[in-house]
Amino acid sequence: DADVTQTPRNRITKTGKRIMLECSQTKGHDRMYWYRQDPGLGLRLIYYSFDVKDINKGEISDGYSVSRQAQAKFSLSLESAIPNQTALYFCATSEGQGRTDTQYFGPGTRLTVL
Amino acid sequence: AQKVTQAQTEISVVEKEDVTLDCVYETRDTTYYLFWYKQPPSGELVFLIRRNSFDEQNEISGRYSWNFQKSTSSFNFTITASQVVDSAVYFCALTLPRTGANSKLTFGKGITLSVRP
């Protein structure tokens, strides 16, 4: 089984709808992240969480919110989706211990907002 | 603020050719970590390598090798004898030691490598 899973893998929704993307991990990592990928722009950080009680905005958090329900679960919500939120969304985790802080990514969720 | 530049956007080679993907980074910190990730057509992001700023040893893993040069702020990736399966988008990224907000990854925009049979 994959260490980092994302659901759904693909989603098409309409403008104004609320949508939630979910991320689960079995790696036992403390840190979790949400990124979005747009063609030609690379990956940009939306939110990150160092533990269940610590949530921080990234560089493009407007229009998004997150919830860290447990160490293993980190959800990203779009309260009112708009077309320019169409993108590939990645969840990532990292150990956060010692000097080893490599981020491992989930398979991605392709979101289309019509 | 940190910055990662991948000036090459698309590279196309014929199978068995060697290819080098360039990565130039900017940071004022003396301690940092550099990464390469591979994104095949299936879309997932696969971790390839992490290099610490205090370790300038080059690394080789099979057909892959990485050349880290602090003097030129570069962390280049070479694929020897490329194969069709190497076709992917390759991202270079940088992060600072895990202190507060600095632990986020800063990505370059990626290089699309196409290997033709």
Side-chain angles (χ1 to χ4, degrees):
Chain A
D1 288 340
D3 295 320
V4 184
T5 58
Q6 293 183 233
T7 56
R9 294 293 312 279
N10 289 281
R11 181 71 182 267
I12 300 174
T13 191
K14 294 182 179 180
T15 297
K17 294 291 188 181
R18 183 180 187 275
I19 185 166
M20 178 182 290
L21 310 183
E22 298 185 344
C23 177
S24 295
Q25 52 114 348
T26 59
K27 298 179 80 68
H29 287 172
D30 288 328
R31 300 183 168 202
M32 299 186 74
Y33 311 78
W34 276 104
Y35 291 86
R36 66 176 278 176
Q37 182 182 18
D38 300 276
L41 295 180
L43 279 83
R44 294 179 292 168
L45 182 65
I46 305 172
Y47 271 96
Y48 60 101
S49 170
F50 288 170
D51 63 41
V52 174
K53 297 181 181 179
D54 180 74
I55 292 177
N56 306 277
K57 293 183 177 180
E59 55 190 302
I60 54 164
S61 59
D62 288 347
Y64 301 95
S65 62
V66 291
S67 173
R68 184 83 184 266
Q69 302 95 319
Q71 186 205 34
K73 296 183 182 297
F74 193 35
S75 301
L76 176 72
S77 293
L78 288 67
E79 297 301 325
S80 180
I82 56 177
N84 75 1
Q85 291 177 314
T86 294
L88 182 57
Y89 290 84
F90 285 101
C91 174
T93 74
S94 68
E95 186 176 7
Q97 297 294 328
R99 300 186 303 183
T100 304
D101 211 21
T102 299
Q103 291 186 25
Y104 297 93
F105 287 79
T109 294
R110 189 168 297 280
L111 176 66
T112 302
V113 183
L114 302 176
Chain B
Q2 300 81 250
K3 184 178 180 182
V4 175
T5 301
Q6 297 181 262
Q8 305 152 309
T9 54
E10 296 184 16
I11 300 175
S12 181
V13 299
V14 176
E15 205 169 19
K16 298 184 182 178
E17 283 185 29
D18 298 346
V19 58
T20 295
L21 311 181
D22 298 333
C23 174
V24 173
Y25 61 91
E26 295 176 30
T27 179
R28 294 181 180 177
D29 289 73
T30 56
T31 302
Y32 48 88
Y33 303 95
L34 295 164
F35 301 80
W36 277 94
Y37 286 87
K38 174 183 179 180
Q39 187 176 37
S42 51
E44 72 273 22
L45 273 169
V46 179
F47 164 71
L48 294 178
I49 189 172
R50 186 190 81 240
R51 173 61 69 213
N52 306 328
S53 58
F54 44 85
D55 181 3
E56 285 195 74
Q57 263 193 328
N58 292 327
E59 181 151 342
I60 298 175
S61 176
R63 296 184 298 107
Y64 295 172
S65 62
W66 290 269
N67 184 324
F68 176 33
Q69 292 196 341
K70 291 178 76 171
S71 60
T72 56
S73 298
S74 64
F75 186 42
N76 297 336
F77 174 27
T78 297
I79 302 175
T80 302
S82 60
Q83 300 177 2
V84 173
V85 293
D86 296 327
S87 297
V89 182
Y90 291 87
F91 292 95
C92 181
L94 176 147
T95 189
L96 301 179
R98 50 171 194 85
T99 51
N102 291 330
S103 65
K104 74 177 185 71
L105 273 171
T106 299
F107 282 88
K109 294 184 178 181
I111 302 170
T112 300
L113 175 64
S114 299
V115 182
R116 309 186 305 276

